[in-house]
Amino acid sequence: MVMMENENTTNQENIINDEEDEQSIDNTEILFNQNNYPKEFIEFLKENQVPLDSYQVKEVPRFIRIKPSTPLSYLEKIEKQLNTKLIALNWLPNFYQLKDSKTKISSSECYKKGIIYGMDASSGAAILALDPQPGDHVLDICCAPGTKLCMTSDIIHQNSTNYGSVTGVDISSSRLGSCKTLLKKYQIPNARLFISDASNFDIKAPNHLDPIPQDKIQQRKESKKLKLQQKQQQQQPEYIENNKIVNNNNNNNNNNNNNTKEDKVTGKRKYSSKKSSKRSLFDLKELYFSNQFWMRYSNSQYYDRVIVDAECSLDASVRHLLLHSKIGVHLTPEKLIELTSLQKKLIQTGFNLLKSGGVLVYSTCSFIKEQNEFVVQWLLDNNSNAKLIPAFKENLDTPIPYSPGFIENTYRFYPKNGTSGLFISKIQKE
Ligand SMILES: C[S@@+](CC[C@H](N)C(=O)[O-])C[C@H]1O[C@@H](n2cnc3c(N)ncnc32)[C@H](O)[C@@H]1O
C-alpha cells in the first residue's frame, strides 16, 4: 500500500493548508504522465479503485476567496495588486482561480488588509456542503489552521442581527496559533478555540450571546493586567545552554555561575516559560474567545452544524505529494488502523454534539476508502438516527467538479478536475 509519511504530518500540512502562501509547484510532470508513476503508487491507486488519471495535472491550481463584504468594483484593484487575472468559480461564490498560479499573494495590500485569503476550491466545497445559515452555532472539529472556520463564520454572520457562533477544536497548539492569528486578522466574531484531543471533546454550543457590559470589559482588562504583573514577578526567565534549560533564579542550586544568556549555537537569548513547557496538549484548554460577546457554556444546546475535517494520510493532496515527494512511501497497516480508529472517534464525537435535524460534514484529504466511505458507513451502522444525504444542490448551471464516491451521497474531488483532492460526505441527524 502506498502513502504517506506520518511524522510531522501536522507541521507539513500547516504549510500546505496555510493556503495563502507562495506554494506554487513546478514539478508536476511527475504526475502528468501516468507512465512515470512509481510502481507502488499505481498499486495504491488500483487497491483503492482510484482512476489512474485522477492525479493527472499540468499545474496545481490556486484559488483565493474574497471576503463577501468586498464590493465587486474592488475586483479590478485586487487583480492589479496580484498582477494576475482572476477567474470566478460559478459554482462557489466568492472564489476565484488565479490565472497565473505562481502569483505571490501574501505581499499584496488586499491580503495584508484581510480582504482575500488563499483557500482551495475543494475546501470551499466542504463548506458549501455544510451550508451554514445565518445565526447557526457551528462546531469545527480539527479546525486548524482555520480557513474553513473563517468561511463558515462569514456566512453565519451575513445577517448582523443573528448571533451565531463558531467553535473550533484542534490538538495542535502551533496550528491553533495560526488559526487564532487568522481569526484576529479577519475579525471573526463569536469564535471560540479549544486545544483538545477532539475524540474527548464535549463542550456544547454557547447558549447566550449578550453584548458585554462596559463595566465587565473594564473588569476584564484590570484582571488581565494584574495577572500579567503577577506572572512577571513570579517567573524567572529560563534560557537554553548547551541544549539544557537553565533557570536564571538566584535561589536555584542548579544554576552555575556561568549563566550565559545566549544559545551557544545561535547566539540568541532564548526564554521558555516553565508554565508552558509543562502544559499538556491533551488537557482541554480554551485558547481564544473573541470577546465581542459573552459566550457562555451550556449543558443543553447542541450545534446546528458540525464539520469534521479529519486528520488523515493527506494522499489526495497533490501539493502534499509533490512538496514532500512522498509518492510511493508506505502507510503501514498499523498506522492506517490508528488513523481510522481516530477518525471514527472524531466523527462520533461530532455526531454526539449535533442537534436533531442538524447536519455534519465529514471530509478528508485522502482517497483511501478505509478513511472515507468505511468511516461514514461505520457511523451509519452504529447510529440508527444518522442518514447520508446529498451534499450539493444539483440545479446549478455550472456543475460542481466532483466524482461519485463508493457509496451513494459521497463525493470525491479529484485533482484532474481542477481542485485539490478531497472526500466529502454529509450526514443528517434524525
Ligand atoms: C486536515 S487538517 C484540518 C484543516 C482545517 N480544517 C482547515 O480547514 O484549515 C487536520 C487537523 O486535525 C488535527 N488533529 C489531529 N488529531 C487530532 C485530534 N485527536 N483531535 C483534534 N484535532 C486533531 C491536526 O492538528 C490538524 O490540524
Side-chain angles (χ1 to χ4, degrees), residues 39-55:
K39 203 169 110 257
E40 296 88 342
F41 189 56
I42 294 181
E43 268 168 30
F44 159 74
L45 296 175
K46 285 188 177 157
E47 202 171 305
N48 284 285
Q49 294 160 274
V50 178
L52 282 192
D53 65 351
S54 302
Y55 289 82

Side-chain angles (χ1 to χ4, degrees), residues 9-11 13-14 17-19 119 123 127 140-150 169-176 179 182 194-201 282 307-312 314 339 342-343 345-346 363-365 422:
T9 292
T10 292
N11 289 340
E13 221 236 337
N14 195 7
N17 241 343
D18 198 351
E19 295 170 55
M119 181 169 181
S123 303
I127 302 305
D140 186 341
I141 289 184
C142 299
C143 66
T147 45
K148 293 187 190 76
L149 198 70
C150 287
V169 52
D170 200 285
I171 203 167
S172 158
S173 60
S174 61
R175 289 170 66 89
L176 273 173
C179 191
L182 216 63
F194 293 93
I195 302 177
S196 172
D197 177 348
S199 359
N200 305 320
F201 190 74
F282 294 89
I307 177 157
V308 181
D309 188 29
E311 174 77 356
C312 69
L314 303 175
L339 260 180
L342 172 65
Q343 289 157 344
K345 285 183 194 154
L346 295 173
S363 57
T364 72
C365 309
L422 202 73

